[in-house]
Amino acid sequence: MKTSQTFRATPPPHLRDGDNLLKIYWGNTAALLPLWVLSVVFFHFQALQVLFVSLAAAAGADYLAAKSFKRKARLSDGAALWSAAVYALLVPCNFPPFYAALGIFIAILIRELLGGRGISFVNTALIGNAFLQMTVPSFYRTAGSGLFFLDSGGLPSWLTLLALFFGAALILGRKILEWEIPLFYIVPVILLEKIFPSALHLSIRHVLFAAFFLLPEPGTQPLTRAGRKIAALLAGIFAWNLDVVSTVPVPETFAVLCANILTPWIDQWVLPAGAAKTQESAKA
Amino acid sequence: VIRGIRLEGKKDATLLVWTLKRFDPPAQVRIPIGNNLTSVNPGDKVKAGDLIAEPANAQSVAVHASISGTVTAVRSSSHPFFDSAEAVEIESDKQDLKCDGFGTERAGWDKLSSEELLSLFQSHGLVNLGAEMVPVHVKAAAQVSKLIINACEPEPYLTCEHALMMSHPVEILKGAEILRKAMGAEQVLIVTQDNKTEAAELLKSKIYFQKWKHFEVQIIPSVYPAGTDPMLRRQFGHEPIEIFNAATAYAVHEAVVFQKPLIERPVTVGGECFIEPKNVWARLGTEFETLVKYARGFLRQPGKVVAGGPMTGKAQGNLKASLVPGLPGLLALPEETVKEEETHSCIRSGRCVEVCPVEISPVMITLAAERGLFQMAAEYGADACIQCGNCTYICPTKRPMAEWLRMAQRPPAKAPRLARRVKKKILIGA
């Protein structure tokens, strides 16, 4: 081969990690597959309807946001569809399709208003869910209409737990989920529930889902490992507290939302050691 | 705990044989002379080891011809690190004659005083064989109690010092002892990584036979960038230390004992694109094109040709530059290894914070620098960055973090365009 040729000269480093944004979002979405398969098996058409309506609304909102903010539509990176897939799992299957679509549509628009994917510090799927819980809470009160609204104890609920752990194992192996996060969230919830039991008891499936799929959402977590632990711990305490004092249908989701809102503050308090030292010496 | 990344070593291909292969001297060399004034003119005949440039000041070193032949020009030519540099061009006479005394043992070398050694380092053109190429006599003038020999080679692909340790362990140890004497240090610590334990064991056994109680070998984990000079300095905190490469210690031994000026160095010609990647002894000033021929040419089209390691080395636009002392390798990396993916906006995954060895916040620094907020970038520790490249490596959105960090360290007078555009917007945390 000739050696008198030119090559690409770009700055170092010349090696890159194999993981990328697409793998993160599509990988996360794949980890939800077992749950979705179960949902379709148990709730047939209703589950599919909620899923497709949510996916379509998310895609539409993303496209609309791209048009109005004059940027390239980026549906292919999977962020909007991942949010929709998470969102739809938490929506009861007997939900009117219009409301199901509205929730995620508004959530994606709010995400864009808060700076878009990555900069928005609240979980998109949870904004949609919180919106529905506050506007049409009655649908959440009918039991048995969704994987996460079944009575515990039966086969479907056991299979749901299994699917949750299977999905968590998938993202644990891919550095998306750190093992401390579920620990720091679940342990305070269980301890507080044992010491100060509430009338309504948190659902273990909701708690696990929040620990595995809602807390580690990219962009909504503090930047440092210590910060992420603090956020998980706070979310756990909020979950118990909301369960005791509030009447929201699914307090676990609101708890994660509250922890998300504290993320920028946690990032201000908990700095990496080197950055903290710089700020200290600047103050002195 | 050392923060960093366990990079795939990719060192096996060049370590199939421990030896460093020596080829016939190249037909032509171009030796950069830096700020020095050349003492030769076109047409002059020189032998290998002859002086071609006197040191310009106390902080620079002499430069020597690396082959024997005729000086054809003194002109500005391609340099692996800079756009161009003044260099002396020598065409070989294919006889490979050496200067007087080259290779013969210096009488009474073990009785030289510290001052004599320092001036010997300068006159023999010895620089530390790392990217900064600091003259050895400048570094050795420091009064320290501990001398560190860096035998880590933390970057992937590079193995020339590993091969040197396996083939010339005693020379490296003796070179380190000469450096220690010159500096008046008490202790010598050879630091290497756990991917070269056999080299460490070899050194340990040689130290045992020399009965040198003041020598010690330390093995650190092969987590990049542990083992780079800034990280070693960090590891030893406020202890007064001075760091030299293992290849430098070898060059010191050859210069002091065998009167050989610095005219060659071990080089890894590696990467998946070469037909026969290997470690070679290459004369300084050898064109990259000749180095490629040492590895029998390209097996396939390289995506990038990198002078130095893949994490900090400089990608070359062509093969016109020539070998300088601070260059441990020439790598030809395939497209699939160096492909550049589409960049996205940051998703605050926090991975860069996790792998940053100096524990600053690369994400906040780069987000601030992007928006022209250089004051804020400094608050998050931009000045502590050692440019190891870990953040760019790990970033899932493929943002050019290292470039923004470089910019944050030396803010431009005029903020970049993106910065001017978005400055008015509110930045979270600003």
Side-chain angles (χ1 to χ4, degrees), chain B residues 1-21:
Chain B
V1 184
I2 299 170
R3 285 154 72 109
I5 306 172
R6 261 193 198 271
L7 294 170
E8 201 186 334
K10 301 189 178 180
K11 291 174 187 258
D12 298 348
T14 45
L15 287 174
L16 287 176
V17 282
W18 290 121
T19 49
L20 288 140
K21 203 162 160 68

Side-chain angles (χ1 to χ4, degrees), chain A residues 3 5-8 10 12-17 19-21 117-118 219 225 228 267 272-275 278-279, chain B residues 289 301 304 310-311 313 317 319 335 338 340-341 344-348 351 354 359 378-379 389 392-393 396 398:
Chain A
T3 50
Q5 52 195 334
T6 54
F7 308 99
R8 201 169 67 243
T10 50
H14 308 291
L15 302 180
R16 298 290 166 96
D17 188 36
D19 211 0
N20 61 28
L21 187 76
R117 183 234 315 113
R225 218 182 173 103
R228 287 194 283 273
D267 273 338
T278 318
Q279 298 205 349
Chain B
E289 222 170 305
Q301 174 70 24
K304 272 189 193 177
M311 294 301 278
L319 296 173
E335 189 55 47
V338 295
E340 266 145 51
E341 293 177 55
H344 298 271
S345 55
C346 177
I347 58 164
R348 298 165 55 91
R351 290 186 190 181
E354 204 89 325
E359 299 181 54
E379 277 168 25
T392 315
Y393 174 89
K398 312 295 164 194

Side-chain angles (χ1 to χ4, degrees), chain A:
Chain A
M1 201 171 278
K2 270 187 200 165
T3 50
S4 60
Q5 52 195 334
T6 54
F7 308 99
R8 201 169 67 243
T10 50
H14 308 291
L15 302 180
R16 298 290 166 96
D17 188 36
D19 211 0
N20 61 28
L21 187 76
L22 273 69
K23 283 187 193 169
I24 289 179
Y25 280 120
W26 289 114
N28 276 2
T29 314
L32 285 183
L33 265 181
L35 285 167
W36 269 112
V37 169
L38 277 186
S39 188
V40 172
V41 167
F42 292 124
F43 301 98
H44 316 295
F45 175 71
Q46 279 189 319
L48 277 177
Q49 188 185 29
V50 169
L51 176 64
F52 283 125
V53 161
S54 307
L55 289 177
D62 198 65
Y63 182 77
L64 192 74
K67 279 277 161 240
S68 48
F69 288 107
K70 290 194 180 113
R71 58 160 175 76
K72 222 170 78 192
R74 47 191 181 196
L75 203 61
S76 60
D77 67 24
L81 298 185
W82 148 252
S83 292
V86 173
Y87 162 84
L89 265 180
L90 293 174
V91 171
C93 292
N94 60 349
F95 229 74
F98 172 72
Y99 279 110
L102 188 68
I104 187 70
F105 190 84
I106 286 177
I108 298 268
L109 291 186
I110 290 178
R111 181 192 80 177
E112 291 302 316
L113 286 175
L114 288 175
R117 183 234 315 113
I119 297 175
S120 161
F121 53 88
V122 281
N123 193 319
T124 314
L126 289 185
I127 303 176
N129 247 282
F131 172 78
L132 292 186
Q133 287 185 44
M134 287 186 290
T135 48
V136 278
S138 56
F139 285 101
Y140 283 88
R141 307 252 188 259
T142 42
S145 55
L147 275 193
F148 289 91
F149 303 94
L150 285 168
D151 292 329
S152 55
L155 179 70
S157 86
W158 283 110
L159 284 176
T160 309
L161 281 181
L162 206 66
L164 271 169
F165 280 110
F166 183 72
L170 286 180
I171 53 173
L172 247 175
R174 298 189 54 250
K175 299 187 292 190
I176 294 164
L177 178 64
E178 289 157 333
W179 62 269
E180 300 107 316
I181 303 296
L183 199 73
F184 274 75
Y185 175 69
I186 295 169
V187 169
V189 169
I190 293 176
L191 281 183
L192 287 168
E193 282 283 303
K194 278 268 175 280
I195 302 167
F196 312 102
S198 66
L200 280 164
H201 294 303
L202 292 163
S203 139
I204 186 70
R205 275 160 290 152
H206 268 127
V207 170
L208 288 179
F209 189 75
F212 296 151
F213 297 102
L214 299 177
L215 272 173
E217 167 90 7
T220 67
Q221 284 195 291
L223 294 167
T224 55
R225 218 182 173 103
R228 287 194 283 273
K229 286 182 204 164
I230 293 173
L233 192 73
L234 286 175
I237 296 169
F238 286 145
W240 162 77
N241 192 256
L242 285 171
D243 190 34
V244 174
V245 301
S246 84
T247 54
V248 286
V250 189
E252 297 86 339
T253 53
F254 274 90
V256 174
L257 215 49
C258 293
N260 285 173
I261 291 166
L262 288 180
T263 292
W265 274 277
I266 295 173
D267 273 338
Q268 290 279 315
W269 298 327
V270 189
L271 286 167
K277 212 192 276 172
T278 318
Q279 298 205 349
E280 256 168 47
S281 61
K283 269 181 208 155

Side-chain angles (χ1 to χ4, degrees), chain B residues 19-88:
Chain B
T19 49
L20 288 140
K21 203 162 160 68
R22 202 184 291 272
F23 289 88
D24 285 338
Q28 194 198 36
V29 289
R30 281 200 309 270
I31 306 165
I33 53 170
N35 299 329
N36 301 346
L37 280 179
T38 179
S39 50
V40 289
N41 295 309
D44 287 359
K45 296 255 180 241
V46 289
K47 293 177 188 166
D50 275 347
L51 190 74
I52 55 170
E54 297 267 6
N57 52 43
Q59 307 297 313
S60 59
V61 293
V63 183
H64 301 84
S66 60
I67 57 171
S68 76
T70 316
V71 176
T72 50
V74 182
R75 62 173 170 214
S76 165
S77 55
S78 300
H79 191 282
F81 299 150
F82 315 114
D83 290 339
S84 64
E86 196 77 353
V88 173

Side-chain angles (χ1 to χ4, degrees), chain B residues 55 58 123 125 178 186 193 250 280 305 328 363 376 380 382:
Chain B
S123 65
I178 294 168
E186 285 149 24
Q193 290 192 318
Y250 177 85
V280 298
V305 172
V363 43
M376 185 180 162
Y380 280 97

